[in-house]
Amino acid sequence: MPPLPFRGRGTGSSPAVHRVPVPTARAIVDCAVYVNGERLPGRFTHQTALAEVRSRGTGFVWLGLHDPDEAQMRDVAAAYGLHQLAVEIATERHQRPKLERYDDTLLLVLRTVSYVEHDLHSVSEIVETGQIVVFTAKEFVLAVRRGEHSGLVELRRTLEASPAQLALGPGAVLHAIADKIVDSYTAVAQSIEEDIDEMEEEVFTPRSRVGIESIYQLKREVVELRRAVNPLAAPLQLLSRNADLPVPKEVRRYLRDVADNHTSVAERINDFDDALSALISAALAKVGVQQNTDMRKISAWVAIAAVPTMIAGIYGMNFDHMPELHQSWGYPAVWVVIVVSCSLLYVNFHRNDWL
């Protein structure tokens, strides 16, 4: 047998890593067929569900996926005829909210947000973000989620309890998802507003110590929240007002309400940014006042300590002829002068609020 080739460090090429393909079913949270607003009994794969809708000529598929990899997303795209660019958008994280149209398929990217409970003075993450990409067409609605806090299980149950709404088709699911996301923006904004109110109370409380780092952290999280929320305004306006898009007229009416709620919460978040900027200015001013107060106290104690230091320095010069040097009352007299002088300085500084 010929000897095996030696592969030392830095020589030869590294062996290719072969990834074991994960079945698409692992990424599917739920797959159901809805006809006239009612969910059909039985279990469906993403392929058999679409075949069922096409064989009936009515209804639609609602397919939910969580963190699919590229191979799983390509498998779903092949079955549902999704555009390659749409697949790339669905597989990339941290997409900007937007609305795209590929023939009769709409793609809506939404950023999800979640409030993280934290101590007021911590500098940890406060707003956790994720992503939902929604594909809607006449025969299906696909929801691709990224992140652990954006589950749609409860939303699906709520819609299933309202067949009249589901009977409107995939557009109704799109509206429900958008409405849920905007409601979560409102909840997060409310929690952040409470944090800001608490910080304002602390900053403007007399003799309180201000943590500038926690204010800067909250401002950074508000900036991240604004980047997740504000870009959704244009897609919602298009969905609610553009009659050329494949969205039922009745659903567009509901989407107008979602767009109005989004505008309200976006303006609220912009106000947070202004409030935090003012709060930082006030906190810095208060820190400056605290530093001035501390410097005054230090200067006052230095002035008091300078009296005995000066007297001790004078009588430590070792001259033979100095006043009271050979007098028996000289030592206590010096102490009396030191104590009286320091007491007068202390009373004067205390009266002027330096001590």
Side-chain angles (χ1 to χ4, degrees):
M1 176 182 295
L4 294 175
F6 174 74
R7 294 182 180 271
R9 179 174 296 181
T11 62
S13 59
S14 58
V17 178
H18 298 285
R19 298 184 180 273
V20 178
V22 180
T24 304
R26 294 283 186 88
I28 295 177
V29 179
D30 198 357
C31 180
V33 176
Y34 297 89
V35 177
N36 297 326
E38 299 286 347
R39 178 169 180 161
L40 296 184
R43 298 175 62 89
F44 297 91
T45 67
H46 63 286
Q47 296 168 330
T48 59
L50 186 60
E52 179 71 20
V53 169
R54 288 176 175 173
S55 66
R56 289 175 174 267
T58 186
F60 67 94
V61 179
W62 182 356
L63 175 64
L65 300 101
H66 182 238
D67 283 332
D69 58 29
E70 188 175 352
Q72 293 168 338
M73 199 63 216
R74 282 200 305 266
D75 181 31
V76 173
Y80 286 78
L82 303 180
H83 195 278
Q84 177 61 33
L85 291 177
V87 175
E88 293 179 3
I89 293 174
T91 53
E92 291 181 5
R93 297 177 181 270
H94 309 296
Q95 287 282 330
R96 182 182 176 87
K98 58 184 175 182
L99 177 67
E100 300 284 350
R101 181 175 183 176
Y102 300 92
D103 297 327
D104 293 332
T105 302
L106 289 180
L107 180 151
L108 177 64
V109 179
L110 306 105
R111 298 291 295 170
T112 62
V113 297
S114 176
Y115 179 80
V116 180
E117 295 293 338
H118 64 285
D119 181 74
L120 183 64
H121 298 287
S122 68
V123 291
S124 59
E125 185 179 31
I126 300 174
V127 178
E128 183 181 10
T129 60
Q131 177 178 291
I132 296 182
V133 180
V134 184
F135 298 89
T136 56
K138 181 180 179 181
E139 298 176 330
F140 60 84
V141 52
L142 310 182
V144 183
R145 297 192 294 111
R146 305 285 180 184
E148 300 298 331
H149 62 273
S150 55
L152 300 176
V153 176
E154 291 300 324
L155 177 65
R156 188 187 288 262
R157 291 174 181 169
T158 301
L159 286 177
E160 288 177 351
S162 179
Q165 188 172 354
L166 272 178
L168 296 175
V173 179
L174 177 65
H175 158 263
I177 294 175
D179 188 45
K180 173 182 170 63
I181 299 303
V182 172
D183 285 345
S184 70
Y185 294 163
T186 303
V188 172
Q190 178 64 36
S191 298
I192 289 182
E193 185 174 16
E194 292 174 0
D195 286 345
I196 294 175
D197 290 343
E198 190 172 350
M199 283 185 175
E200 285 181 341
E201 182 178 356
E202 183 171 297
V203 167
F204 294 108
T205 298
R207 294 181 296 277
S208 64
R209 291 291 177 179
V210 180
I212 300 294
E213 293 83 1
S214 58
I215 301 178
Y216 275 119
Q217 173 68 13
L218 184 56
K219 184 174 176 63
R220 189 188 71 82
E221 295 295 311
V222 168
V223 170
E224 183 177 357
L225 178 62
R226 189 176 69 243
R227 289 175 178 172
V229 173
N230 287 9
L232 186 59
L236 289 178
Q237 290 296 328
L238 284 173
L239 285 171
S240 61
R241 303 187 184 280
N242 192 339
D244 295 332
L245 295 177
V247 178
K249 181 178 180 180
E250 185 66 23
V251 174
R252 287 204 305 271
R253 292 173 179 170
Y254 288 110
L255 285 169
R256 290 193 193 102
D257 182 65
V258 177
D260 291 341
N261 292 338
H262 177 271
T263 300
S264 176
V265 71
E267 292 174 352
R268 192 175 178 185
I269 292 171
N270 291 333
D271 291 341
F272 292 164
D273 196 32
D274 296 337
L276 285 171
S277 296
L279 196 59
I280 289 174
S281 298
L284 290 174
K286 186 173 184 178
V287 169
V289 171
Q290 291 173 347
Q291 291 175 343
N292 290 336
T293 301
D294 294 339
M295 287 302 300
R296 284 191 304 175
K297 290 181 179 180
I298 294 172
S299 300
W301 284 114
V302 168
I304 292 173
V307 173
T309 302
M310 180 186 67
I311 295 175
I314 292 173
Y315 280 91
M317 290 189 293
N318 296 324
F319 290 108
D320 288 336
H321 303 286
M322 296 184 69
E324 294 85 30
L325 189 63
H326 299 288
Q327 301 295 331
S328 60
W329 49 266
Y331 179 74
V334 168
W335 272 109
V336 170
V337 171
I338 291 175
V339 171
V340 171
S341 299
C342 291
S343 299
L344 289 175
L345 286 173
Y346 179 84
V347 170
N348 185 51
F349 286 138
H350 187 73
R351 185 179 298 167
N352 290 281
D353 294 327
W354 280 48
L355 290 174

